[in-house]
Amino acid sequence: MSKHDAHDGPILEIDNLSISFFTRLREIPAVMDFSVSVQPGEAVGLVGESGCGKSTVALGVMQDLGVNGHIVGGTIKFKGRDLGQMSVDELRDIRGNEIAMIYQEPMASLNPAMRVGKQLMEVPMIHEGVSESEARKRALEVVNDVKLPDPERILRAFPHQLSGGQQQRIVIAMALMSKPSLLILDEPTTALDVTVEAAVVDLVKGLGEKYGTSMLFISHNLGLVLETCDRICVMYSGEAVETGSIKDVFDKMRHPYTQALFRSIPLPGADKNTRPLKAIPGNFPLPHERPPGCNFGPRCDYFEDGRCDAAELHMEAVEGDTRHDTRCLRFREIDWDAPVQAMDQVAATEVGEVVLKMDDLRKYYRVAANALFGSSGAHKVVKANETLSFEAHESETLAIVGESGCGKSTFAKVLMGLETATSGKILLDDRNIEHIPIEQRDTQTVADIQMVFQNPFDTLNPSMTVGRQIMRALEIFGIGKTEKERRARMMELLDLVKLPREFADRMPRQLSGGQKQRVGIARAFAGGARIVVADEPVSALDVSVQAAVTDLLMEIQRKEKTTLLFISHDLSIVRYLSDRVMVMYLGHVVELGTTAQVFSPPYHPYTEALLSAVPIADTHVEKQHIVLEGDVPSAMNPPSGCPFQTRCRWKREVPGNLCEEEVPPVRMLADGHQVKCHLADDILARMEPVIKIAAE
């Protein structure tokens, strides 16, 4: 009898669970009155913002809360047995064998000094006592299962020799080595590209079906949960606020927080001018400062004084649905079908003159071959950017999309002057700047081109107040004659990014991620920037904060007439806020056009695959299913001919070996819409839309 059919009833049953962390000062309740069950073969998604307690629940299941964490109420049962009552030996036997966990950062689970094969073989050898040859056979089988090329070579490799996507697949393979009954996935794809994420999600679903594994999938991405799970549990501030089947919760949500989450994500149809996103007002409560009654009360549109804050709330069943519960007193009174209150519509900004022009920009790096391959003396060339040409206008948002390693950030570095171009031109207002490194640029040029970075935590000086950091930028840009003038301008910049003026005296550690990102934006606009390069500026933030920061960028852009170069791999946000889109692959611009042109056929085959990979949190959306095979080739050894030919599903439509032999020419399809592709016009015309919205 296998361990999968040894138990009927829920595989995992969490009942009224409460977990607290104890510090010298106080008890901090992280999870309260939390219940969820996972049936055999079922995948349950656990969603919510950072700090809501999702990972704490997972660590509770693993009985791995550290010295400060304690379960202070409720039970966690695995196959009917209470995990809290088990001995250390029993737990060790279950962990990794019957319950496996996959973490967000793959390298945290891999030993850098040990070959991959040995790490995989350890699992069944330790847990099941199988022989080395049997363990090796099993390791080869799972490496095949997780669709890694050349399994023998992978088993001999060290973790650092694999890409991020390959490392994550090895971690999944490791978790599957002992065929666990329950797999816990904690944000397993956050660090991966959207195409790799699609392949990993596909893989997890397929393996769940093959091995009959039950899954608890922790994520803040509602689209991913829709694509991977049968049921969903929405968490807010330590509590479950709504649970039910995907269809019930997505189409008939019965909690104001669930509704607010959906209104803050850019689903198809959202538009920055006519249908702006609605950010959730206020901030997440700290664990020791939760409000009385409903935790979501202070941010809720339906809050009723004296009722919602009168007593503790419990989950209630929603009539008509099975296992659909909500923690809301008023869910029967609210008109859930009422149209969204219209947000303020804004007129689309007039796009002005060309501010920035790039012409045949190339950036190559010379790397000593012996440093990489142990050969002597020779040099290899890394072609990070190839013949990059485009224009950007005043008040325009140009999105630059593509996978890691496509050259997006290299191009940003050259534009900022952190690197100089190998050849080609960059014109800022008709002035050539491609060969001027940042230390030789005049103050005006530095102030004109500014950057907002992906991770707000890395860009602020931890030992300097927020106000002082913005004033320092003003000083460098030569703005304000006196300290007093600069302080007044700094306060205006805080107003501009909608931060309270008292934040001027706070240290970065006292700010949330979204607030830090606003300080970064204030600093970028301190010198009246003409061009702002935003490098994944919202990918490290929660969805509800993303909406607020995105809208803030748009608002400032309208006021200041800034040109925004928005680097992202999240095509939902790109569709929502960009005027034009440039798709990059391996240093080449493969498609460029208006947002409407790029998001509807005909596509470049790579754009088509990118669109198919984006998870969309809408049950009415039908997508073509295209999973890209293989990884992005190395820029040090790019394929001959078309850079995308090694992964292109349309290649067979092109006669002969044209794709392998020649780099495609840039072709104009329509007004301003260009692609770099060998496909004939009649084949491009046959392309189907990737994303369709099904009729009700």
Side-chain angles (χ1 to χ4, degrees), residues 414-417 433 436-443 445-446 449:
V414 175
L415 179 59
M416 299 292 297
I433 58 166
I436 313 174
I438 193 156
E439 57 272 19
Q440 290 169 24
R441 288 186 178 181
D442 60 78
T443 308
T445 307
V446 174
I449 306 177

Side-chain angles (χ1 to χ4, degrees), residues 168 197 206 227 501 523 532 621 649:
Q168 193 59 290
E197 175 180 83
E227 294 191 0
R501 287 187 166 204
R523 216 170 39 175
V532 169
V621 165
R649 71 185 194 124

Side-chain angles (χ1 to χ4, degrees), residues 515-651:
Q515 288 166 342
K516 284 182 188 158
Q517 194 58 294
R518 285 165 188 248
V519 176
I521 293 169
R523 216 170 39 175
F525 282 94
R530 312 263 315 284
I531 296 167
V532 169
V533 182
D535 189 358
E536 301 268 14
V538 293
S539 64
L541 307 176
D542 275 315
V543 280
S544 54
V545 185
Q546 271 184 11
V549 172
T550 311
D551 278 351
L552 175 71
L553 272 172
M554 297 289 97
E555 198 177 311
I556 298 175
Q557 181 190 35
R558 288 187 195 103
K559 248 184 230 161
E560 311 274 326
K561 292 193 167 12
T562 321
T563 304
L564 194 62
L565 299 181
F566 192 85
I567 298 176
S568 181
H569 67 261
D570 182 343
L571 286 168
S572 330
I573 284 195
V574 164
R575 184 179 201 161
Y576 169 67
L577 61 78
S578 60
D579 303 305
R580 285 192 308 140
V581 181
M582 179 163 98
V583 183
M584 286 183 73
Y585 186 79
L586 216 57
H588 292 258
V589 175
V590 294
E591 184 162 7
L592 175 63
T594 65
T595 308
Q597 287 168 338
V598 172
F599 276 80
S600 46
Y603 311 102
H604 184 281
Y606 177 56
T607 311
E608 180 189 51
L610 273 184
L611 289 172
S612 162
V614 180
I616 300 173
D618 188 336
T619 54
H620 302 108
V621 165
E622 289 173 4
K623 277 195 311 183
Q624 267 195 65
H625 189 66
I626 304 161
V627 172
L628 278 183
E629 297 298 322
D631 288 310
V632 181
S634 159
M636 201 178 304
N637 190 15
S640 58
C642 170
F644 188 57
Q645 54 100 350
T646 55
R647 304 168 80 195
C648 181
R649 71 185 194 124
W650 290 87
K651 190 166 125 184

Side-chain angles (χ1 to χ4, degrees), residues 244-542:
S245 72
I246 292 286
K247 196 132 183 56
D248 286 344
V249 175
F250 276 54
D251 294 347
K252 293 190 291 182
M253 53 197 74
R254 289 294 178 265
H255 195 282
Y257 176 59
T258 315
Q259 186 185 56
L261 264 187
F262 275 90
R263 286 179 178 175
S264 65
I265 54 177
L267 296 173
D271 175 271
K272 64 178 175 183
N273 299 317
T274 53
R275 276 187 55 194
L277 300 179
K278 190 170 180 211
I280 305 175
N283 287 316
F284 205 69
L286 291 169
H288 55 282
E289 293 174 357
R290 291 190 176 106
C294 175
N295 280 345
F296 187 58
R299 306 173 74 189
C300 179
D301 290 343
Y302 310 104
F303 180 76
E304 199 177 302
D305 210 2
R307 227 181 120 190
C308 297
D309 53 3
E312 206 178 313
L313 273 62
H314 297 285
M315 295 292 268
E316 286 189 61
V318 176
E319 297 84 7
D321 296 335
T322 49
R323 293 166 67 206
H324 184 185
D325 300 292
T326 178
R327 193 183 296 268
C328 176
L329 276 181
R330 302 197 55 206
F331 79 93
R332 291 185 187 87
E333 308 157 22
I334 295 168
D335 179 2
W336 296 101
D337 299 321
V340 185
Q341 247 182 329
M343 297 285 289
D344 294 341
Q345 292 197 4
V346 283
T349 30
E350 280 297 309
V351 170
E353 297 295 308
V354 172
V355 179
L356 179 73
K357 187 173 163 63
M358 284 209 184
D359 210 3
D360 273 349
L361 180 83
R362 283 185 169 88
K363 175 63 187 172
Y364 293 173
Y365 294 96
R366 286 187 75 200
V367 184
N370 58 358
L372 292 152
F373 307 110
S375 58
S376 58
H379 276 78
K380 293 282 279 184
V381 172
V382 178
K383 298 181 175 180
N385 286 154
E386 278 280 27
T387 62
L388 208 61
S389 299
F390 70 89
E391 292 176 347
H393 300 76
E394 182 182 84
S395 293
E396 176 181 52
T397 303
L398 173 68
I400 297 141
V401 298
E403 294 168 279
S404 311
C406 75
K408 308 187 295 278
S409 297
T410 301
F411 131 79
K413 282 179 188 162
V414 175
L415 179 59
M416 299 292 297
L418 299 171
E419 302 273 3
T420 52
T422 305
S423 67
K425 293 179 187 159
I426 302 178
L427 296 168
L428 174 66
D429 296 327
D430 294 332
R431 280 182 299 131
N432 286 62
I433 58 166
E434 67 278 356
H435 294 306
I436 313 174
I438 193 156
E439 57 272 19
Q440 290 169 24
R441 288 186 178 181
D442 60 78
T443 308
Q444 191 52 53
T445 307
V446 174
D448 275 347
I449 306 177
Q450 283 293 303
M451 193 152 181
V452 177
F453 295 90
Q454 177 167 4
N455 197 340
F457 310 96
D458 296 343
T459 53
L460 297 179
N461 183 333
S463 56
M464 211 188 256
T465 65
V466 164
R468 173 55 46 209
Q469 300 198 44
I470 298 173
M471 283 166 73
R472 203 140 172 254
L474 291 168
E475 222 167 289
I476 291 165
F477 299 144
I479 288 168
K481 293 185 182 63
T482 62
E483 183 82 354
K484 193 177 170 194
E485 279 182 23
R486 283 195 281 274
R487 190 162 179 86
R489 176 69 186 134
M490 177 267 292
M491 290 297 188
E492 285 169 13
L493 284 162
L494 286 178
D495 295 343
L496 184 72
V497 297
K498 296 188 167 58
L499 281 176
R501 287 187 166 204
E502 56 267 24
F503 274 38
D505 301 320
R506 289 200 182 176
M507 301 304 271
R509 66 170 185 276
Q510 295 170 297
L511 272 56
S512 69
Q515 288 166 342
K516 284 182 188 158
Q517 194 58 294
R518 285 165 188 248
V519 176
I521 293 169
R523 216 170 39 175
F525 282 94
R530 312 263 315 284
I531 296 167
V532 169
V533 182
D535 189 358
E536 301 268 14
V538 293
S539 64
L541 307 176
D542 275 315

